[in-house]
């Protein structure tokens, strides 16, 4: 998945990159990697630059229909990892000489396969409509 920019109070950017992969033959076992970088918009404007990578292994409940597994993993697994990253960054920066760095909350719902498909279809429809001659 591509990185997503989330605006951060104090003129900084948070960029996340998520990678999901099914583990082995079991469609319910997943490995998810979250890479997160937070840096000031302007050089030398902030006290911290943070880069962290978290890896999580997730098992999807047997009651969830197979058709929904990809969306649930893509939305929920990175959200869990992001929450852990927020806490870790807050804990570490809270022990330094500057104000602690508190990342904003984030959602990964737009990164699900079904959301990506809907956005691509909407974009394709909009392009087709803009290419039609005016009546």
């Amino acid at each position: 998945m591509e990185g997503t920019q989330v605006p951060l109070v104090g003129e900084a950017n948070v960029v996340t990159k998520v990678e999901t992969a099914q583990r082995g033959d079991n469609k319910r076992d997943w490995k998810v990697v979250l890479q997160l970088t937070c840096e000031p918009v302007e050089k030398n404007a902030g006290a911290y630059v943070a880069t962290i990578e978290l890896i999580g292994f997730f098992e999807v409940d047997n009651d969830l229909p197979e058709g929904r597994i990809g969306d649930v993993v893509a939305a929920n697994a990175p959200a869990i990892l992001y929450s852990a990253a927020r806490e870790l960054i807050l804990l570490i920066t809270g022990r330094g000489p500057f104000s602690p760095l508190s990342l904003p909350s984030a959602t990964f719902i737009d990164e699900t396969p079904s959301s990506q498909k809907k956005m691509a279809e909407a974009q394709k429809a909009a392009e087709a409509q803009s290419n039609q001659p005016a009546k």
Side-chain angles (χ1 to χ4, degrees):
M1 288 188 174
E2 301 240 346
T4 304
Q5 281 200 352
V6 178
L8 180 67
V9 176
E11 299 300 317
N13 286 322
V14 176
V15 178
T16 59
K17 181 180 178 187
V18 177
E19 297 174 16
T20 59
Q22 187 178 325
R23 293 183 55 220
D25 294 335
N26 187 343
K27 293 181 181 180
R28 297 184 179 275
D29 287 339
W30 290 79
K31 174 184 175 184
V32 179
V33 178
L34 172 69
Q35 298 170 340
L36 184 146
T37 303
C38 176
E39 55 189 28
V41 171
E42 297 178 25
K43 296 269 186 217
N44 302 319
Y48 301 106
V49 173
T51 302
I52 189 169
E53 179 176 279
L54 289 93
I55 301 171
F57 296 94
F58 298 88
E59 182 179 348
V60 177
D61 188 84
N62 287 329
D63 292 338
L64 186 73
E66 262 189 45
R68 295 195 48 219
I69 292 174
D71 283 344
V72 168
V73 170
N76 293 331
I80 291 168
L81 296 175
Y82 184 86
S83 176
R86 284 181 74 200
E87 288 300 314
L88 184 59
I89 290 171
L90 183 62
L91 175 72
I92 292 170
T93 58
R95 296 182 181 201
F98 306 107
S99 297
L101 179 59
S102 180
L103 301 181
S105 59
T107 180
F108 295 87
I109 207 81
D110 290 340
E111 305 301 320
T112 63
S114 63
S115 291
Q116 293 290 321
K117 183 179 176 184
K118 286 178 186 176
M119 286 191 287
E121 289 171 354
Q123 183 178 8
K124 195 173 184 179
E127 288 172 1
Q129 189 175 18
S130 68
N131 290 335
Q132 291 180 354
K135 293 182 182 180

